[in-house]
C-alpha cells in the first residue's frame, strides 16, 4: 500500500472521513449538552465575550464553538446548530488524519491505513463526531501534540522541540480536561522508552517530562485563569456542584465500582470493534512482544487502561467516554492486519476480506441507521 507521498493517502483518508460525517451530520443538537453548547456559542458570537459551558467551563471549546458560529454567520449560514455540529465534523476528521500520520511514523503505512480507517468508522467515535460536543476538539489537539513529539523531539533531540507539542496538548486540556489529561502519562512513558532517547541519562528524561507537562499545564492554565478570576469555579454554586460531582460520582466509587461496571464497559468496547476486533487486538499485542517491541506494547496498554479504568469507575458511564481507548485498540488491530498481509496467496486475500467485512462493514451497519435518523430529525427541538 505504498504511495509516492504519504500525504496523498493521508488526504484521501481525511476526505473519506470528512464526507462520511458530512453526509450524516445531525440535523439538530441531538444531546442536551450540545444544546447548551449551541446556546453559549451563540451568546459568545453575539457579545464577543466568552460564555463558558457547564462543569469546569471547557474554555477552549467555548471559544471555538463561538468562533464557528461567528464564521458561519459571516458566510451567510445563520443556523448556530449547524455551525457547532460542523465543528465536530471538522475536528474529528482532522483527528483521523493526524492519527494516520502518527501511526505511520510509529509503525508503517499499512498499519497506519488500517488503524485510521478502523478508528474513523468505529460506532462510538463516528456517532459522536456528527454533533457538537467537547470531545472532538480535545482529542484533536491532544493527538496533534503527540504527533508533534514524534516529528520534532524524537528527531531533533532538542528541548525546544517539545514546546509546540506541549502547547497543543495544553489546548486539548483547555478544551476538555478529563480527556486530554490521559495523554500525559502516555507522553511521559514515550519520553522514557523511545529508542532515540532510551539510553539517555535519567535527568534528561525527567527534564523533558517536566518541561512538556509544565508547558501543557501552563497553556491550559491561561485559558482557565479568567474563569478562576471571575470566581466561576471556586466560590460559585457551579464550583460547589463540581466538587460534589467529583466526590459522589468518582472518588466514592473508583475503588469498588470498576469491577461492577467492568462487564458493561467491556461490552461498549466489544460492540464497537466487534469480538473479531478484540481478538485481533490481542494478537496485535502478541505480535509486538514477539518482535521484541515490548515498549510499544506497554505504551498501548497504558493508553488503553488508564482512561478505561477511570471512566469505568464512574457512578455513571457513557460509550463516548471510551473514545480514548479506541486509539490503542485500533493500532493493535492494525498491527495484526499488517502482519497477516505479509503472508502470500489466500491468507492475504482472506485477511483483506475479513477486515473489510467484519471490522469495517459490520460496525458501520450498526451505526448508520442511527446516524441517518439523527440526520433526518432534529431530536431535541422536535421531541422535547
Amino acid at each position: 500500500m505504498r504511495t509516492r507521498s504519504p500525504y496523498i493517502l493521508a488526504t484521501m483518508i481525511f476526505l473519506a472521513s470528512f464526507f462520511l460525517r458530512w453526509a450524516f451530520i445531525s440535523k439538530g443538537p441531538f444531546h442536551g449538552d450540545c444544546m447548551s453548547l449551541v446556546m453559549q456559542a451563540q451568546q459568545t458570537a453575539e457579545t464577543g465575550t466568552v460564555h463558558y459551558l457547564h462543569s469546569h467551563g471547557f474554555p477552549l471549546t467555548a471559544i471555538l464553538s463561538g468562533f464557528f458560529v461567528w464564521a458561519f454567520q459571516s458566510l451567510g449560514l445563520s443556523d448556530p446548530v449547524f455551525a457547532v455540529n460542523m465543528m465536530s465534523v471538522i475536528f474529528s476528521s482532522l483527528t483521523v488524519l493526524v492519527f494516520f500520520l502518527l501511526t505511520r511514523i510509529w509503525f508503517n503505512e499499512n498499519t497506519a491505513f488500517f488503524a485510521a480507517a478502523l478508528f474513523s468508522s468505529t460506532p462510538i467515535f463516528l456517532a459522536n463526531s456528527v454533533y457538537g460536543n467537547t470531545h472532538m476538539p480535545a482529542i484533536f489537539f491532544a493527538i496533534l501534540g503527540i504527533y508533534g513529539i514524534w516529528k520534532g523531539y524524537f528527531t531533533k533531540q532538542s528541548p525546544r522541540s517539545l514546546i509546540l507539542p506541549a502547547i497543543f496538548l495544553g489546548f486539548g486540556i483547555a478544551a476538555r480536561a478529563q480527556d486530554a489529561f490521559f495523554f500525559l502519562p502516555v507522553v511521559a512513558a514515550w519520553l522514557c522508552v523511545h529508542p532515540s532517547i532510551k539510553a539517555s541519562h535519567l535527568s534528561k528524561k525527567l527534564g523533558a517530562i517536566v518541561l512538556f507537562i509544565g508547558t501543557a499545564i501552563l497553556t491550559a492554565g491561561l485559558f482557565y485563569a479568567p474563569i478562576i478570576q471571575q470566581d466561576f469555579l471556586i466560590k460559585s454554586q457551579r464550583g460547589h456542584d463540581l466538587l460534589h460531582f467529583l466526590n459522589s460520582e468518582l472518588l466514592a466509587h473508583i475503588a469498588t465500582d470498576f469491577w461492577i461496571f467492568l462487564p458493561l464497559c467491556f461490552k461498549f468496547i466489544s460492540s464497537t470493534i466487534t469480538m473479531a476486533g478484540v481478538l485481533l487486538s490481542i494478537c496485535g499485542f502478541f505480535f509486538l512482544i514477539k518482535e521484541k517491541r515490548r515498549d510499544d506494547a506497554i505504551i498501548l496498554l497504558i493508553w488503553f487502561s488508564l482512561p478505561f479504568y477511570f471512566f469505568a469507575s464512574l457512578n455513571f458511564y457513557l460509550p463516548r467516554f471510551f473514545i480514548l481507548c479506541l486509539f490503542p485498540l485500533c493500532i493493535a488491530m492494525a498491527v495484526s492486519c499488517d502482519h497477516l498481509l505479509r503472508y502470500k496467496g489466500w491468507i492475504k486475500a482472506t485477511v483483506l476480506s475479513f477486515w473489510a467485512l467484519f471490522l469495517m462493514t459490520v460496525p458501520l451497519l450498526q451505526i448508520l441507521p442511527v446516524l441517518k435518523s439523527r440526520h433526518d430529525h432534529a431530536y431535541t427541538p422536535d421531541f422535547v
Side-chain angles (χ1 to χ4, degrees):
M1 199 178 293
R2 284 284 170 184
T3 58
R4 292 185 178 181
S5 169
Y7 300 106
I8 296 176
L9 184 55
T11 301
M12 293 171 59
I13 289 173
F14 168 76
L15 291 176
S17 298
F18 175 80
F19 284 114
L20 174 62
R21 286 154 175 79
W22 169 272
F24 291 99
I25 186 171
S26 294
K27 182 179 180 181
F30 172 66
H31 193 277
D33 288 348
C34 180
M35 175 69 83
S36 174
L37 177 60
V38 169
M39 295 171 62
Q40 299 298 82
Q42 194 168 17
Q43 292 182 2
T44 297
E46 291 174 353
T47 64
T49 302
V50 180
H51 285 69
Y52 298 106
L53 309 180
H54 61 284
S55 185
H56 53 77
F58 306 93
L60 183 56
T61 301
I63 294 171
L64 288 171
S65 59
F67 170 78
F68 267 79
V69 170
W70 172 83
F72 275 59
Q73 289 176 345
S74 300
L75 296 173
L77 302 172
S78 59
D79 184 4
V81 174
F82 178 73
V84 171
N85 288 347
M86 274 300 299
M87 178 184 72
S88 285
V89 168
I90 291 172
F91 276 114
S92 61
S93 302
L94 288 172
T95 298
V96 176
L97 168 63
V98 178
F99 182 49
F100 166 80
L101 295 174
L102 169 64
T103 310
R104 185 183 186 277
I105 198 174
W106 186 3
F107 292 94
N108 56 57
E109 192 166 274
N110 281 348
T111 303
F113 171 78
F114 286 127
L118 289 169
F119 180 71
S120 179
S121 60
T122 51
I124 292 178
F125 178 63
L126 180 57
N128 285 280
S129 62
V130 293
Y131 71 92
N133 56 69
T134 58
H135 295 271
M136 298 305 130
I139 293 173
F140 165 71
F141 284 115
I143 203 75
L144 183 61
I146 290 182
Y147 175 65
I149 296 174
W150 276 83
K151 287 291 289 185
Y153 184 71
F154 290 157
T155 302
K156 302 175 182 178
Q157 298 291 300
S158 170
R160 288 182 297 179
S161 59
L162 285 172
I163 300 299
L164 186 58
I167 290 174
F168 285 140
L169 188 48
F171 287 166
I173 296 173
R176 183 179 172 87
Q178 57 265 52
D179 281 2
F181 261 124
F182 286 105
F183 286 85
L184 293 178
V186 177
V187 171
W190 254 323
L191 292 176
C192 290
V193 303
H194 189 270
S196 66
I197 57 176
K198 192 172 184 179
S200 301
H201 195 274
L202 179 61
S203 60
K204 180 180 179 180
K205 297 177 182 178
L206 291 177
I209 293 172
V210 170
L211 175 62
F212 184 90
I213 294 179
T215 303
I217 297 299
L218 177 62
T219 301
L222 294 176
F223 286 92
Y224 283 101
I227 302 177
I228 296 174
Q229 186 179 18
Q230 297 171 18
D231 291 336
F232 184 86
L233 289 179
I234 298 177
K235 297 180 181 179
S236 67
Q237 180 63 36
R238 190 179 301 234
H240 177 269
D241 293 342
L242 178 60
L243 291 175
H244 180 267
F245 167 82
L246 292 174
N247 181 61
S248 61
E249 302 292 346
L250 174 62
L251 298 179
H253 304 274
I254 197 166
T256 57
D257 284 6
F258 171 77
W259 302 108
I260 299 174
F261 298 140
L262 177 61
L264 180 59
C265 295
F266 178 77
K267 184 180 179 181
F268 288 156
I269 298 295
S270 61
S271 63
T272 201
I273 65 172
T274 73
M275 284 305 300
V278 173
L279 294 175
L280 274 182
S281 298
I282 296 172
C283 291
F285 284 101
F286 170 78
F287 283 128
L288 289 175
I289 294 172
K290 184 180 179 181
E291 289 190 342
K292 301 187 185 302
R293 300 189 64 168
R294 292 180 178 85
D295 290 338
D296 291 331
I298 291 172
I299 294 291
L300 292 176
L301 281 173
I302 292 173
W303 199 344
F304 171 81
S305 60
L306 291 182
F308 183 79
Y309 176 75
F310 178 85
F311 290 116
S313 300
L314 291 175
N315 197 28
F316 71 101
Y317 35 82
L318 295 170
R320 59 190 171 93
F321 292 166
F322 298 95
I323 292 175
L324 301 183
C325 302
L326 298 178
F327 286 110
L329 292 179
C330 288
I331 290 176
M333 285 189 285
V335 167
S336 291
C337 291
D338 177 56
H339 277 72
L340 294 173
L341 280 178
R342 298 174 189 177
Y343 294 95
K344 302 297 182 181
W346 67 270
I347 297 180
K348 187 173 184 176
T350 301
V351 170
L352 286 174
S353 301
F354 180 84
W355 177 81
L357 179 61
F358 289 100
L359 300 183
M360 291 287 292
T361 306
V362 171
L364 280 175
L365 289 177
Q366 292 176 0
I367 196 62
L368 288 184
V370 177
L371 298 183
K372 182 67 165 59
S373 180
R374 293 187 196 173
H375 180 71
D376 294 337
H377 304 284
Y379 277 96
T380 303
D382 290 350
F383 301 112
V384 174

